[in-house]
Amino acid sequence: MAERLPDSLLSDARAFRQQVRLAAVQVAALNEPELAFALAYEVEPFSHVAAAEAGVAWRELPSTDPAIKVYDVAVRKAGRAGARGGATADGLARFLRPAALVGALLLLAAAADGTWLTLQRASLARRLATQRDLDARVQRVQSSARAIAAEAERLRTARAAARRAQDDVAARRLAYPEILRVIAATCGGKTVVRSFASEAAPYTIRLSAVAASAEDAAHVMSALTHAAAAVNWSLTPGPIATSAQGATAEFTCTLAYEGGEP
């Protein structure tokens, strides 16, 4: 059976030195002789000292993994071995075999978990790729829908503008007949229209007329202003000139079409 020797063996140049790493769960169940044998057993292939005949000294080193114990081990042949040591070694070996089996099972479980995680990752990658494809399709459909909506709005605006243009043309077509009707209805009996003249601006008329008096001329222009506004014409009054005998009054005014339905 391996035995623990004084720590001075660690500084013995004739001793075999090596670091040994053991699972913490495995070490926790070992007493000192069993740990000595386990350490000697780990280095036996390199030290060429049988574990059952080894004298062992060790010290524990810091480990970055709490699941692993690290030891600085020195080994030399103890010079004695016997049936008791061999039996103890066999017993320890029987103890270590189940621990090794447990470790193997843990490794298999870890491998299974790794395989499952790999499959899950692949599945998620496929789902993500599918989702990205669907998102791209949705964006294309939304873009197409926006383009169709914009085109529909453009067509509605164009149709509305065309309707307004048609209405304006129809209104302008009736503009002159309407203003002539209004002039005839307003000036009849009190005023004699002498002439119509087209001004430089489109849809503009310069009207010259004669009334019985300056008062009648002013009254006619006031009445014509209100009547013309009803059919979207505006009136700008001109000068009133009374004849030398005071028997008549000549006046002028300008009528302009303002647009819209008459």
Side-chain angles (χ1 to χ4, degrees):
M1 174 66 179
E3 62 177 330
R4 182 168 188 175
L5 297 181
D7 291 346
S8 58
L9 181 61
L10 293 169
S11 59
D12 189 342
R14 295 171 299 175
F16 177 81
R17 293 282 297 278
Q18 182 174 319
Q19 285 190 7
V20 175
R21 300 166 62 88
L22 295 175
V25 65
Q26 176 183 348
V27 173
L30 303 178
N31 57 31
E32 184 175 287
E34 291 170 340
L35 179 58
F37 180 82
L39 294 173
Y41 183 80
E42 289 292 328
V43 301
E44 181 178 327
F46 310 101
S47 66
H48 304 293
V49 177
E53 302 175 356
V56 186
W58 69 85
R59 62 177 176 179
E60 186 175 348
L61 301 176
S63 174
T64 57
D65 185 351
I68 300 296
K69 294 286 188 179
V70 181
Y71 296 94
D72 181 17
V73 180
V75 177
R76 75 178 182 189
K77 192 170 183 180
R80 59 184 182 86
R84 180 176 176 274
T88 304
D90 291 340
L92 181 58
R94 286 194 299 271
F95 172 81
L96 292 175
R97 279 194 292 271
L101 178 60
V102 170
L105 291 175
L106 290 174
L107 290 174
L108 287 174
D113 285 344
T115 301
W116 182 83
L117 289 174
T118 300
L119 293 175
Q120 285 295 103
R121 181 178 180 182
S123 175
L124 288 174
R126 288 193 298 270
R127 290 169 58 186
L128 181 59
T130 301
Q131 186 63 46
R132 286 176 176 169
D133 182 61
L134 292 175
D135 289 343
R137 292 183 184 180
V138 169
Q139 290 178 357
R140 287 195 295 270
V141 171
Q142 290 176 339
S143 178
S144 177
R146 286 193 295 269
I148 292 172
E151 179 64 15
E153 182 61 25
R154 187 189 66 79
L155 292 176
R156 282 194 295 269
T157 302
R159 284 197 296 269
R163 284 195 298 268
R164 288 194 298 271
Q166 291 173 354
D167 293 342
D168 185 63
V169 169
R172 290 180 181 276
R173 189 180 297 118
L174 296 175
Y176 278 113
E178 286 293 323
I179 193 60
L180 292 177
R181 178 185 60 78
V182 168
I183 292 172
T186 305
C187 296
K190 293 183 180 181
T191 303
V192 177
V193 176
R194 298 180 62 180
S195 67
F196 292 102
S198 177
E199 294 291 298
Y203 288 88
T204 303
I205 300 172
R206 183 177 177 82
L207 182 147
S208 297
V210 179
S213 64
E215 183 180 351
D216 287 341
H219 178 76
V220 168
M221 282 193 287
S222 177
L224 186 57
T225 297
H226 293 290
V231 291
N232 297 314
W233 285 78
S234 63
L235 184 144
T236 302
I240 300 174
T242 305
S243 65
Q245 294 78 16
T248 60
E250 295 183 4
F251 67 93
T252 61
C253 61
T254 302
L255 294 160
Y257 181 62
E258 301 294 335
E261 295 184 4

